[in-house]
Amino acid sequence: MDSAPPSTRRQRRGSGGITLGDVARLAGVSPITASRALNTPAQVSPETLARVHEAVARTGYVPNRLAGGLASARSRLVAAVVPTIAGPVFMEMVQSLTSALADAGYQLMLGQSGYADSREDALLEAIIGRRPDGIVLTGIMHSAEGRRRLLASGIPVVETWDLTPTPIDMLVGFSHTQAAAAVVQHLHARGRRRLALLSGDDERALRRNRGFVDEALRLGLIAEPAELPVHLVPAPTTLGSGRAGLARLLQLAPATDAVFCSSDLLALGVLTEAAARGIEVPGRLAVVGFGDLAFAGDTHPALSTVRIDGTAIGQRAARCIVDRAEGRPVEQKVLDLGFQVIQRASS
Amino acid sequence: MDSAPPSTRRQRRGSGGITLGDVARLAGVSPITASRALNTPAQVSPETLARVHEAVARTGYVPNRLAGGLASARSRLVAAVVPTIAGPVFMEMVQSLTSALADAGYQLMLGQSGYADSREDALLEAIIGRRPDGIVLTGIMHSAEGRRRLLASGIPVVETWDLTPTPIDMLVGFSHTQAAAAVVQHLHARGRRRLALLSGDDERALRRNRGFVDEALRLGLIAEPAELPVHLVPAPTTLGSGRAGLARLLQLAPATDAVFCSSDLLALGVLTEAAARGIEVPGRLAVVGFGDLAFAGDTHPALSTVRIDGTAIGQRAARCIVDRAEGRPVEQKVLDLGFQVIQRASS
DNA sequence: GTGAAAGCGCTAACAA
DNA sequence: TTGTTAGCGCTTTCAC
């Protein structure tokens, strides 16, 4: 009862590794029992459990999750797409996402879309091909093609860092428009009247800029949108572009008394350039960043900024996906985590 | 020849998605031909190819790589382990790794080990379970258990950011000892005599510290190791710990005229604290960082540092793994990419 | 609590 | 160039 005649046997030696079958044989049980011992131990008698565990220990068996995923249609893989990991902005989210998923037994696959949408399609295909149990998007998916593919894939999707009335599936974010408006109000309350914008050219930053201009109009700080000095720099933003940006802005509008930067790094650049030029902050110039990165409280002067809780975004996104994967109802499909204007010395 | 009596038929509806079989049927070919059309188009006639591609387009078929990986024993997945992605240090490498792998049709799985080795074991199991085609480690694997498991898995491993005479498999790194010695020489040449160290407490930083002390001894800057003021801060290092660190160092050794920091972020903190205290850099204090992050050239004053080419490390690591996965010979199993002391205004 | 059979979706091996 | 067959290693379904 061992093998057919070797002459007619197809050849296909496995990868050579230990399989669940080997473990089962060593433990003297059937493969499915070994599987249950590892996955649903409650269904197995204590002695059997012990024997299987011993066999695992002796062999150094590591389950093949590719095979498991194929058989169970659950890969325990979650994909995250970020514009770039070179910027520190999304790191906090990715970090907490990785941890939260690891705690639940899921692994993170990372994809970079670049700020341009060119490679997004290939990336989406690569991701969907792995049949992840969930996809976390940074920002919202705009291309109709992309939305359709995601929808068609049937994979749970969480869009993050943004709000939209028409999410693909789930959403964890905050309102960029409101955040910018809150900054205008803050600066206005601090007596600033000649505001300016220094901003990356990515979509979310541009949306904040619109919110900023609108609120400035509403408060009567400007009479028409074009009055507000704006300087755009290419994303991802850097300290260097912050320095150059302030220089340019002061050329455009020397009387500027407050700058709202689209990232803390940009704001740090502004602080640096101001220091280098002997411009007093906040005396002559107020500076507000965005993101509340770890360093924001330790700059000189300490940087006012808008706090976005990347950790919370990552955790909630992980929760959404894990809940869905485990068949639990998702508490909230759309979640506005808000933001917080943090006033420090720079304004 | 279609189906057995329904009564005895096992039930197991698939995931419901489009499969290669569906595509093949639509194109009027066998599944394996469809497979070849997608994977090795050269083996298929032009007309067949066209028909298959059309069928793919019509159905929106996305190949299931879990199944493909299982069947071919090639997952086209590569795992990377970093201590944390919260620090910007390894981002450059991860970024270039992601891109280089994506270009070759591989996807990156990201794992965080934390600076402590506690979770490393669980992480290793999670990774090996996916049967990646390669594993990129940040730093070298120390735990004997970990080394054994990796070796036993048979998966190609690249250790990075370090050199060791006994790599598990492949290695792309540089010498921390030599880098630190080069910094001592640089500071010595610039006339500095009272050196100090401000450093994270991670293993590689500590190794640099030893190299730093050794070289200082050799040059006669100190008579014994304990003479050199050292302040350790917990990794990951931050701008804030740099500020606090300088404060502490000046308490310990007020006459210090040069500080070597274990990261650029720490160094930026030192610059910040020095500015806040009115300490002239480089006049009274020279500052050297480590990493040459994007911002280093734009600080005020511009930061001298040690350039580590993270992009190159990522690319070479990707190349090593892809070569191995595709069955090509690996050019160099051990690669010392070196480093470069970059002198800027801060020293 | 345990097991036998079937099959997840794909590709390697062999055959024509 | 195309097809047939037999798995990859696991888990589902059904049966005891």
Side-chain angles (χ1 to χ4, degrees):
Chain A
M1 199 86 105
D2 196 5
S3 65
S7 56
T8 58
R9 217 16 186 220
R10 277 288 194 311
Q11 314 257 34
R12 196 168 179 188
R13 74 247 162 275
S15 50
I18 317 282
T19 71
L20 187 60
D22 299 328
V23 171
R25 204 169 309 122
L26 194 64
V29 297
S30 72
I32 181 61
T33 300
S35 168
R36 284 198 270 250
L38 299 177
N39 297 318
T40 51
Q43 290 182 32
V44 164
S45 78
E47 305 103 67
T48 311
L49 198 60
R51 293 226 305 287
V52 171
H53 277 144
E54 202 204 308
V56 168
R58 289 164 81 94
T59 52
Y61 168 69
V62 180
N64 183 331
R65 305 246 174 249
L66 253 48
L70 178 59
S72 66
R74 289 191 46 202
S75 62
R76 291 184 163 277
L77 223 52
V78 171
V81 180
V82 293
T84 167
I85 50 174
V89 191
F90 305 116
M91 283 195 325
E92 192 185 332
M93 177 184 72
V94 174
Q95 160 127 21
S96 89
L97 198 55
T98 311
S99 310
L101 289 173
D103 291 346
Y106 291 72
Q107 195 83 16
L108 189 79
M109 249 170 35
L110 196 62
Q112 291 180 82
S113 59
Y115 275 98
D117 288 349
S118 55
R119 285 202 323 202
E120 198 165 69
D121 221 54
L123 181 59
L124 226 46
E125 169 135 358
I127 287 174
I128 294 174
R130 307 276 175 202
R131 303 297 190 268
D133 291 339
I135 300 178
V136 178
L137 255 29
T138 305
I140 57 186
M141 172 65 63
H142 295 286
S143 92
E145 172 68 10
R147 296 175 63 94
R148 190 153 39 71
R149 295 187 75 153
L150 284 174
L151 234 21
S153 74
I155 301 170
V157 172
V158 184
E159 292 166 290
T160 62
W161 284 95
D162 216 329
L163 291 180
T164 163
T166 55
I168 299 180
D169 184 2
M170 295 173 286
L171 183 66
V172 180
F174 59 91
S175 165
H176 289 262
T177 316
Q178 284 175 24
V183 171
V184 176
Q185 287 159 20
H186 162 74
L187 291 171
H188 183 258
R190 306 292 298 169
R192 307 292 164 157
R193 293 296 178 269
R194 299 175 158 280
L195 315 186
L197 281 168
L198 175 55
S199 161
D201 62 356
D202 62 282
E203 184 229 322
R204 279 173 295 283
L206 296 177
R207 193 119 41 82
R208 289 197 292 276
N209 293 355
R210 284 195 291 276
F212 194 90
V213 168
D214 286 348
E215 185 67 10
L217 279 169
R218 204 184 63 80
L219 291 180
L221 294 173
I222 50 175
E224 54 173 292
E227 269 179 41
L228 202 139
V230 178
H231 182 60
L232 294 184
V233 301
T237 55
T238 66
L239 197 158
S241 53
R243 293 191 67 164
L246 177 61
R248 180 84 188 101
L249 228 34
L250 291 179
Q251 259 180 334
L252 288 172
T256 296
D257 65 5
V259 188
F260 175 40
C261 305
S262 74
S263 78
D264 284 349
L265 214 49
L266 223 39
L268 181 55
V270 168
L271 291 183
T272 305
E273 183 65 18
R277 293 179 172 226
I279 297 173
E280 270 178 51
V281 175
R284 206 193 113 194
L285 186 72
V287 180
V288 176
F290 189 85
D292 196 27
L293 298 190
F295 65 75
D298 294 313
T299 57
H300 178 69
L303 183 64
S304 294
T305 187
V306 179
R307 167 139 190 78
I308 305 301
D309 192 344
T311 300
I313 294 181
Q315 285 170 344
R316 304 306 291 253
R319 172 113 58 94
C320 286
I321 284 176
V322 172
D323 278 352
R324 191 70 81 75
E326 322 256 308
R328 287 191 294 269
V330 173
E331 288 176 30
Q332 294 221 22
K333 287 195 65 169
V334 174
L335 216 56
D336 181 348
L337 255 34
F339 56 85
Q340 210 182 334
V341 176
I342 310 269
Q343 198 213 318
R344 296 201 181 96
S346 73
S347 67
Chain B
M1 199 84 104
D2 196 4
S3 64
S7 55
T8 58
R9 220 5 190 223
R10 278 288 192 314
Q11 313 259 31
R12 197 169 182 188
R13 72 248 162 275
S15 50
I18 317 283
T19 71
L20 187 60
D22 299 328
V23 171
R25 204 168 311 122
L26 193 65
V29 296
S30 73
I32 184 65
T33 300
S35 168
R36 284 197 271 251
L38 299 178
N39 297 315
T40 51
Q43 291 183 31
V44 164
S45 77
E47 305 103 66
T48 311
L49 198 60
R51 294 226 305 286
V52 171
H53 277 144
E54 203 203 308
V56 168
R58 289 164 82 94
T59 52
Y61 169 68
V62 180
N64 184 332
R65 305 246 174 250
L66 253 47
L70 178 59
S72 65
R74 288 190 47 200
S75 62
R76 291 184 162 278
L77 221 51
V78 172
V81 180
V82 293
T84 167
I85 50 175
V89 191
F90 304 116
M91 282 195 325
E92 191 184 333
M93 176 183 73
V94 175
Q95 159 127 22
S96 89
L97 197 56
T98 311
S99 309
L101 289 173
D103 291 347
Y106 292 73
Q107 194 82 16
L108 189 78
M109 246 170 37
L110 195 62
Q112 292 180 81
S113 59
Y115 275 98
D117 288 350
S118 55
R119 285 202 323 203
E120 199 166 68
D121 222 54
L123 182 60
L124 226 47
E125 168 134 0
I127 288 175
I128 295 174
R130 307 276 176 203
R131 303 296 190 268
D133 292 338
I135 300 179
V136 178
L137 254 29
T138 305
I140 57 186
M141 171 66 62
H142 295 285
S143 91
E145 172 67 10
R147 296 175 64 92
R148 191 154 37 73
R149 295 187 76 154
L150 283 174
L151 234 22
S153 74
I155 301 170
V157 172
V158 184
E159 291 165 292
T160 61
W161 283 95
D162 216 329
L163 291 180
T164 163
T166 55
I168 299 181
D169 184 3
M170 296 173 285
L171 184 66
V172 181
F174 59 91
S175 165
H176 290 261
T177 315
Q178 285 176 24
V183 171
V184 176
Q185 287 159 21
H186 163 73
L187 290 171
H188 183 258
R190 306 291 298 170
R192 306 292 164 156
R193 292 296 179 267
R194 300 174 157 280
L195 314 187
L197 281 168
L198 175 55
S199 161
D201 63 357
D202 62 282
E203 185 229 321
R204 280 173 294 284
L206 296 177
R207 193 119 41 81
R208 290 196 293 275
N209 293 355
R210 284 196 291 277
F212 194 89
V213 168
D214 286 348
E215 185 68 9
L217 279 169
R218 205 183 64 80
L219 291 180
L221 293 174
I222 51 175
E224 55 173 292
E227 268 180 43
L228 202 139
V230 178
H231 182 60
L232 293 185
V233 301
T237 55
T238 66
L239 195 158
S241 53
R243 293 191 68 166
L246 177 61
R248 180 85 188 99
L249 227 35
L250 292 179
Q251 260 180 335
L252 287 172
T256 296
D257 65 5
V259 188
F260 176 41
C261 305
S262 74
S263 78
D264 284 348
L265 214 49
L266 224 38
L268 181 55
V270 168
L271 292 183
T272 305
E273 184 65 18
R277 293 178 173 228
I279 298 172
E280 269 177 51
V281 175
R284 206 195 112 194
L285 186 72
V287 180
V288 177
F290 189 85
D292 196 26
L293 298 190
F295 66 74
D298 294 313
T299 57
H300 179 69
L303 183 65
S304 294
T305 186
V306 179
R307 167 141 190 77
I308 305 303
D309 193 344
T311 300
I313 294 182
Q315 285 169 344
R316 303 307 291 252
R319 173 113 58 94
C320 286
I321 283 176
V322 172
D323 277 352
R324 192 70 81 75
E326 322 257 307
R328 287 192 292 270
V330 173
E331 288 176 28
Q332 294 220 23
K333 286 195 67 168
V334 174
L335 216 58
D336 181 348
L337 255 33
F339 55 85
Q340 210 182 334
V341 176
I342 309 268
Q343 197 213 317
R344 297 201 180 97
S346 73
S347 67

